[in-house]
């Protein structure tokens, strides 16, 4: 369960000082601790990563697909640090050993009951304003995926079992079952 433990302004220094194995995100100076993901979450994550990775590889693509825990620094500040479940980065100059510096092209979040408000509201705003091209929110409980195509200013919903077109790649779709 994600928990906001205490109020206050935190920085990247606080994230890096967390005990080994403890994960958290930092959003506008507020720290949000994350529990280990569920089996259902990991199953969806693995499936999506494999689909995206195989698509990119089959076309000799230059983009990288990465999974959490991998840091995303959307802004050049020390009060925001996110770990999206899946990110696709096509400008490889944004990547280094510490994470992704700037907006990934595509982000996928697989929601848990406690992360829904952050995923549907706070992160949606953060990702859109930072320049992320496409954002998917996958809800395993509802068996629904919400797709935000920021370039087209469009929002669409898909039920599991439907083909979901990937906006950053022509002719690529994914069916989550």
């Amino acid at each position: 369960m994600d928990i906001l433990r205490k109020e206050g302004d935190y920085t990247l220094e606080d994230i890096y000082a967390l005990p080994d194995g403890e994960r958290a995100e930092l959003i506008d100076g507020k720290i949000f601790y994350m529990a280990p993901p569920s089996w259902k979450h990991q199953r969806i994550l693995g499936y999506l990563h494999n689909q995206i990775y195989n698509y990119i590889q089959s076309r000799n693509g230059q983009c990288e697909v990465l999974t959490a825990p991998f840091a995303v620094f959307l802004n050049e500040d020390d009060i925001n640090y996110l770990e999206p479940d899946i990110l696709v980065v096509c400008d490889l100059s944004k990547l280094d050993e510490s994470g992704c510096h700037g907006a990934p092209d595509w982000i996928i979040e697989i929601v848990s009951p406690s992360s829904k408000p952050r995923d549907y509201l706070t992160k949606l705003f953060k990702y859109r304003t930072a320049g992320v091209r496409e954002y998917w929110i996958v809800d395993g409980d509802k068996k629904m995926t919400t797709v935000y195509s920021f370039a087209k200013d469009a929002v669409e919903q898909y039920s599991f079992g439907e083909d979901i077109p990937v906006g950053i790649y022509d002719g690529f779709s994914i069916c989550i079952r």
Side-chain angles (χ1 to χ4, degrees), residues 16 25 68 135:
Y16 292 129
E25 291 184 307
Y135 175 42

Side-chain angles (χ1 to χ4, degrees), residues 53-70:
Y53 178 84
N54 290 337
Y55 179 83
I56 292 169
Q57 291 301 306
S58 71
R59 282 153 183 77
N60 295 315
Q62 298 306 307
C63 301
E64 288 286 339
V65 58
L66 302 157
T67 59
F70 190 78

Side-chain angles (χ1 to χ4, degrees), residues 3-177:
I3 301 169
L4 176 62
R5 289 202 178 150
K6 58 184 175 180
E7 294 295 324
D9 289 329
Y10 293 89
T11 67
L12 291 175
E13 186 176 315
D14 296 303
I15 290 290
Y16 292 129
L18 291 173
D20 285 346
E22 189 162 18
R23 291 182 48 218
E25 291 184 307
L26 183 65
I27 302 173
D28 296 330
K30 304 293 183 238
I31 199 162
F32 296 88
Y33 293 85
M34 299 182 291
S38 69
W39 170 83
K40 184 190 313 182
H41 179 283
Q42 291 302 91
R43 183 180 164 277
I44 293 169
L45 178 105
Y47 174 78
L48 289 171
H49 177 271
N50 286 340
Q51 294 295 307
I52 298 164
Y53 178 84
N54 290 337
Y55 179 83
I56 292 169
Q57 291 301 306
S58 71
R59 282 153 183 77
N60 295 315
Q62 298 306 307
C63 301
E64 288 286 339
V65 58
L66 302 157
T67 59
F70 190 78
V72 173
F73 306 96
L74 292 174
N75 312 94
E76 292 185 32
D77 61 30
D78 69 344
I79 59 168
N80 287 285
Y81 168 100
L82 298 168
E83 288 187 0
D85 290 310
I86 298 175
L87 58 143
V88 175
V89 180
C90 298
D91 177 356
L92 301 185
S93 71
K94 292 180 179 180
L95 298 175
D96 67 19
E97 291 304 311
S98 66
C100 177
H101 302 271
D105 294 273
W106 180 17
I107 289 179
I108 301 174
E109 293 283 8
I110 303 162
V111 299
S112 65
S114 59
S115 73
K116 281 183 184 185
R118 242 184 359 274
D119 292 333
Y120 280 99
L121 300 171
T122 308
K123 289 183 181 180
L124 171 66
F125 175 77
K126 285 283 189 198
Y127 294 152
R128 181 181 186 122
T129 57
V132 171
R133 294 167 49 200
E134 186 165 347
Y135 175 42
W136 289 19
I137 300 174
V138 180
D139 189 325
D141 291 336
K142 290 184 178 179
K143 297 188 180 199
M144 295 286 299
T145 300
T146 305
V147 176
Y148 297 89
S149 177
F150 298 133
K152 297 177 186 172
D153 203 27
V155 179
E156 296 182 82
Q157 285 195 317
Y158 298 88
S159 296
F160 282 21
E162 292 183 281
D163 283 338
I164 306 170
V166 176
I168 69 166
Y169 293 115
D170 291 333
F172 178 36
S173 64
I174 298 175
C175 180
I176 304 171
R177 298 199 185 278

